[in-house]
Amino acid sequence: MSVGFIRDKLEIKFLILYIVSRLSEAIPLAELQELTMCDDGIDYFDFAECLSDLVSTEHLRLEEERYSITPKGLRNSEICESSLPYSVRIRADKNIADYHKMLLRRNQVQSRVVERENGSYTVMLYLRDDVDEIMELELVVATEEMARDLAERFKKNPEQIYSGLLSALYGQ
């Protein structure tokens, strides 16, 4: 059985504040839970109770099923973060960095599926970088299943699709 470094609910609250204070946007419950469960000393029920307490004490704000930090929470996070065990902070920082990469990727690679009047579907695929939109592609397909499948395949490897399109258009 593993033993965690987090020992009580106060430390769980510190960890939640530590994490949310370092995020670039509000976070859904499931993703916050995943980031917070970085120590074996935390269980779901304690996490849920601590999260609820942080909202009720106005350290965190819950809007549209997403959590964000308040000025009060930010102040307390800065004061208390040194109370977190170093190994927990290191793990949390790594998870936060990975989460930011995932958010960046989610913003750069997007797709939409829209039903057309005739019953077919349009799949809209978008590839962006930090500055501009690199590619916008619309495809018409017969079924919603095909449309969703194309959207998922695009999200898995948009760079290869972009390169393939360029190669096809240049005849290489």
Side-chain angles (χ1 to χ4, degrees):
M1 180 175 164
S2 299
V3 177
F5 292 98
I6 298 289
R7 300 285 179 220
D8 59 33
K9 290 180 181 175
L10 188 60
E11 287 182 330
I12 295 171
K13 290 177 184 179
F14 292 164
L15 178 59
I16 293 169
L17 290 175
Y18 180 85
I19 290 168
V20 179
S21 71
R22 284 158 174 73
L23 298 178
S24 58
E25 59 185 54
I27 184 170
L29 173 65
E31 293 174 4
L32 179 56
Q33 177 189 345
E34 187 175 325
L35 289 175
T36 304
M37 303 299 242
C38 64
D39 183 77
D40 291 333
I42 303 170
D43 69 37
Y44 173 77
F45 298 105
D46 288 340
F47 161 77
E49 183 180 336
C50 291
L51 185 61
S52 177
D53 288 349
L54 289 169
V55 171
S56 67
T57 58
E58 298 181 349
H59 287 84
L60 295 179
R61 182 179 308 114
L62 174 60
E63 293 175 333
E64 299 177 13
E65 299 184 27
R66 293 176 168 269
Y67 294 87
S68 59
I69 198 156
T70 65
K72 177 182 179 180
L74 194 55
R75 277 193 310 276
N76 288 335
S77 175
E78 290 169 353
I79 293 167
C80 301
E81 71 183 38
S82 62
S83 300
L84 284 172
Y86 180 72
S87 62
V88 174
R89 278 186 285 156
I90 293 298
R91 246 180 280 149
D93 288 340
K94 182 202 173 301
N95 292 347
I96 292 165
D98 291 345
Y99 183 74
H100 278 125
K101 286 179 192 172
M102 185 271 305
L103 285 179
L104 178 62
R105 183 73 171 175
R106 187 187 297 167
N107 289 330
Q108 290 176 336
V109 180
Q110 296 179 353
S111 64
R112 274 187 22 194
V113 173
V114 177
E115 186 173 9
R116 298 165 54 101
E117 287 181 18
N118 66 1
S120 63
Y121 290 82
T122 299
V123 184
M124 292 171 265
L125 309 171
Y126 307 95
L127 181 59
R128 298 176 175 92
D129 63 11
D130 296 337
V131 178
D132 211 351
E133 191 163 294
I134 297 172
M135 180 179 78
E136 181 177 326
L137 179 63
E138 290 187 14
L139 303 168
V140 177
V141 295
T143 67
E144 183 177 9
E145 182 181 350
M146 288 175 65
R148 300 225 177 270
D149 183 52
L150 287 174
E152 286 307 309
R153 289 172 184 257
F154 175 73
K155 285 181 178 181
K156 288 179 183 172
N157 202 346
E159 298 84 1
Q160 183 180 10
I161 293 168
Y162 177 74
S163 295
L165 279 172
L166 287 178
S167 293
L169 290 169
Y170 278 112
Q172 298 172 351

